[in-house]
């Protein structure tokens, strides 16, 4: 089952934001996240807010009507922002995630993007990404996406080894990844590949094969995430029953180091712990905006938003979501106004994950006092800590122990 929403205060029926958010809207970048909650099957490891068509039945925001519900929330977002007194922000990045966004017709994805453009305007250099399963991308789909304004496609490759994909319950044929990459490339869009390591039964040779196969496809960007067993998922139940083994921390650390070595040799540079790109233009700017604490509006059931220190999240079920937005109500299920302490903690948590590091000027006395010991322990780069613009920058070992670094910087 998808994970539970956090608790928070009630969201006004009209979605109204506090007046103080207007300043942030005029000074920080603004992105749109569009959540498409449909999947052909739910993978056993996934706790995202996704639903198969059989689970949804005939009610709610189905595949055929989903774009209309998303466009209704875009209209609400425009009205809410206008009521703060701020000028409508031009959108810098759009990311369509899921689920499997390409369960929708490519024309519907293009129509939602057109709604973003008509509602807020897109910057001329806007980055526009959709996630996709490899088996949902054809040359026609790719051409429709590109013609609609998409600039990137992030393909869920996960592994190129059949028995690993079987454990993950991924349904695509590994050979189909190359066909999807070719279709995206031929349509003139950038390619990103997502990989997962640490799957039960995955050997080091399996992981090396997946990395090598991904590199051979020459993507612009690659993400590699350690498998996490989330409570409430089918995989968690399998681990609990002893059917599969819990991923091993040391095994995952070794596989991360293998990925870094192979990717660096192939000309990729890490720019965030789990993300690599060949060039600076290949980075995912939408995710960078999250890590900087910029503003974004999350459209769709279960989507999260952040504007000017206010964070909120939508109701999870597509039927309840559609009922609200199509009657002009906010789909927000709860929200919180971030305190200065929360904002600081998140600045440290996210800032140390990026290759540029967290400027030491962003740290309080506790954080700055922790730097020498972290350098001595080989977790932070000594040269970066004493540079003209000193920063807390992770070493490779620090990337493997990033949670420890964050705790020590925050004095926990």
């Amino acid at each position: 089952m998808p994970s539970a929403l956090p608790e928070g205060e009630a969201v006004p029926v009209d979605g109204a934001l506090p007046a103080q958010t207007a300043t942030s809207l005029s000074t920080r970048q603004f992105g749109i996240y569009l959540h498409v909650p449909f999947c052909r099957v739910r993978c056993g490891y996934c706790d995202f807010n996704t639903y198969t068509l059989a689970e949804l039945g005939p009610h709610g925001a189905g595949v055929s009507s989903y774009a209309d519900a998303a466009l209704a929330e875009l209209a609400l977002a425009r009205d809410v922002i206008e009521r703060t007194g701020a000028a409508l922000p031009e959108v810098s990045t759009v990311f369509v995630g899921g689920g499997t966004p390409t369960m929708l017709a490519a024309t519907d994805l293009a129509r939602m993007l057109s709604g973003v453009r008509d509602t807020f305007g897109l910057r001329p250099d806007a980055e526009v990404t959709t996630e996709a399963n490899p088996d949902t991308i054809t040359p026609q789909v790719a051409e429709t996406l590109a013609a609609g304004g998409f600039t990137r496609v992030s393909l869920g490759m996960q592994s190129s080894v059949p028995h690993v994909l079987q454990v993950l319950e991924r349904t695509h044929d590994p050979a189909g990844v190359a066909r999807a990459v070719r279709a995206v490339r031929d349509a003139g869009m950038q390619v990103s590949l997502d990989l997962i390591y640490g799957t039960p039964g995955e050997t080091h040779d399996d992981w090396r094969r997946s990395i090598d196969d991904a590199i051979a496809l020459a993507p612009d960007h690659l993400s590699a995430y350690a498998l996490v067993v989330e409570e409430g998922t089918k995989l968690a139940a399998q681990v609990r029953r002893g059917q599969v083994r819990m991923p091993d921390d040391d095994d995952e650390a070794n596989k991360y180091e293998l990925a870094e070595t192979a990717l660096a040799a192939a000309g990729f540079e890490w720019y965030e712990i789990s993300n690599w790109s060949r060039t600076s233009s290949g980075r995912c700017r939408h995710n960078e905006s999250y890590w900087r604490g910029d503003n974004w509006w999350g459209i769709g059931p279960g989507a999260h938003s952040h504007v000017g220190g206010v964070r909120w999240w939508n109701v999870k079920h597509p039927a309840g979501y559609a009922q609200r937005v199509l009657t002009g109500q906010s789909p927000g299920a709860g929200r919180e106004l971030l305190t200065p302490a929360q904002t600081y903690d998140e600045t440290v948590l996210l800032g140390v994950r990026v290759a540029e590091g967290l400027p030491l000027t962003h740290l309080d006395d506790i954080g700055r006092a922790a730097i020498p010991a972290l350098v001595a322990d080989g977790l932070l780069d000594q040269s970066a800590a004493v540079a003209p613009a000193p920063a807390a920058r992770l070493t490779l070992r620090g990337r493997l122990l990033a949670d420890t670094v964050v705790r020590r910087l925050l004095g926990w």
Side-chain angles (χ1 to χ4, degrees):
M1 293 295 292
S3 58
L5 289 171
E7 296 181 359
E9 66 178 42
V11 176
V13 173
D14 63 358
L17 289 170
Q20 66 263 28
T21 58
T23 299
S24 178
L25 282 163
S26 64
T27 58
R28 300 192 73 94
Q29 291 193 37
F30 184 69
I32 295 288
Y33 172 74
L34 287 152
H35 185 68
V36 178
F38 309 117
C39 279
R40 191 167 292 146
V41 297
R42 179 181 293 120
C43 301
Y45 64 91
C46 179
D47 75 334
F48 292 168
N49 190 42
T50 65
Y51 304 84
T52 66
L53 301 188
E55 289 171 323
L56 287 175
H59 307 295
V63 168
S64 62
S65 61
Y66 185 75
D68 293 325
L71 292 171
E73 189 180 358
L74 276 170
L76 173 75
R78 176 197 60 217
D79 294 344
V80 168
I81 289 174
E82 286 182 336
R83 290 201 303 272
T84 68
L88 287 178
E90 201 171 28
V91 173
S92 300
T93 61
V94 179
F95 196 101
V96 187
T100 306
T102 41
M103 285 285 287
L104 298 185
T107 51
D108 276 346
L109 294 174
R111 187 157 67 96
M112 292 193 297
L113 178 57
S114 181
V116 173
R117 186 185 294 110
D118 294 343
T119 303
F120 291 102
L122 281 174
R123 293 182 56 164
D125 64 343
E127 173 194 270
V128 183
T129 304
T130 186
E131 294 180 332
N133 284 352
D135 54 1
T136 64
I137 292 293
T138 65
Q140 183 178 6
V141 166
E143 289 165 8
T144 301
L145 292 172
F150 283 83
T151 64
R152 296 174 80 249
V153 175
S154 179
L155 295 167
M157 177 178 174
Q158 315 310 1
S159 173
S160 62
V161 180
H163 78 84
V164 175
L165 290 173
Q166 185 176 12
V167 173
L168 294 172
E169 297 187 285
R170 303 293 291 184
T171 58
H172 68 269
D173 178 351
V177 179
R179 291 192 293 269
V181 168
R182 190 179 312 114
V184 173
R185 281 257 184 257
D186 289 348
M189 294 180 288
Q190 288 192 336
V191 174
S192 178
L193 297 177
D194 281 359
L195 296 175
I196 291 176
Y197 58 92
T199 301
E202 178 190 61
T203 66
H204 278 250
D205 286 343
D206 290 335
W207 176 234
R208 181 67 201 227
R209 174 179 162 187
S210 293
I211 287 288
D212 288 345
D213 288 349
I215 290 171
L217 293 170
D220 303 282
H221 181 279
L222 192 145
S223 300
Y225 300 102
L227 179 66
V228 176
V229 179
E230 302 285 1
E231 282 301 317
T233 62
K234 180 179 177 179
L235 180 61
Q238 291 172 321
V239 169
R240 191 165 53 249
R241 292 193 295 265
Q243 293 173 297
V244 298
R245 297 178 64 180
M246 177 73 82
D248 178 77
D249 289 345
D250 290 337
D251 175 69
E252 290 188 334
N254 290 336
K255 287 174 178 172
Y256 182 90
E257 291 181 310
L258 188 159
E260 167 61 22
T261 300
L263 289 168
F268 287 85
E269 291 188 358
W270 79 282
Y271 70 98
E272 192 273 345
I273 288 177
S274 299
N275 292 274
W276 291 259
S277 65
R278 288 187 182 276
T279 64
S280 59
S281 63
R283 293 182 175 193
C284 179
R285 286 163 40 205
H286 187 83
N287 285 344
E288 287 186 308
S289 191
Y290 289 157
W291 303 324
R292 287 194 304 267
D294 287 337
N295 297 318
W296 74 89
W297 195 294
I299 302 288
H304 287 232
S305 303
H306 172 265
V307 175
V310 182
R311 181 162 51 214
W312 70 95
W313 43 92
N314 289 347
V315 294
K316 295 186 67 172
H317 199 277
Y321 169 79
Q323 191 278 328
R324 290 201 190 188
V325 297
L326 293 174
T327 56
Q329 300 179 59
S330 168
R335 78 178 187 186
E336 61 180 342
L337 277 65
L338 299 178
T339 66
Q342 286 175 307
T343 300
Y344 174 75
D345 289 351
E346 292 186 6
T347 297
V348 174
L349 173 67
L350 298 174
V352 299
R353 293 182 63 87
V354 299
E356 290 79 8
L358 179 69
L360 298 194
T361 54
H362 292 188
L363 291 171
D364 62 13
D365 290 344
I366 292 174
R368 286 191 292 272
I371 296 295
L374 288 168
V375 169
D377 290 343
L379 301 176
L380 292 181
D381 185 327
Q382 181 175 15
S383 62
V386 296
R393 187 177 302 160
L394 296 174
T395 60
L396 176 56
R397 182 167 183 264
R399 282 188 259 165
L400 297 171
L401 297 170
D403 289 346
T404 297
V405 174
V406 169
R407 287 195 294 270
R408 289 168 64 174
L409 289 174
L410 293 175
W412 293 352

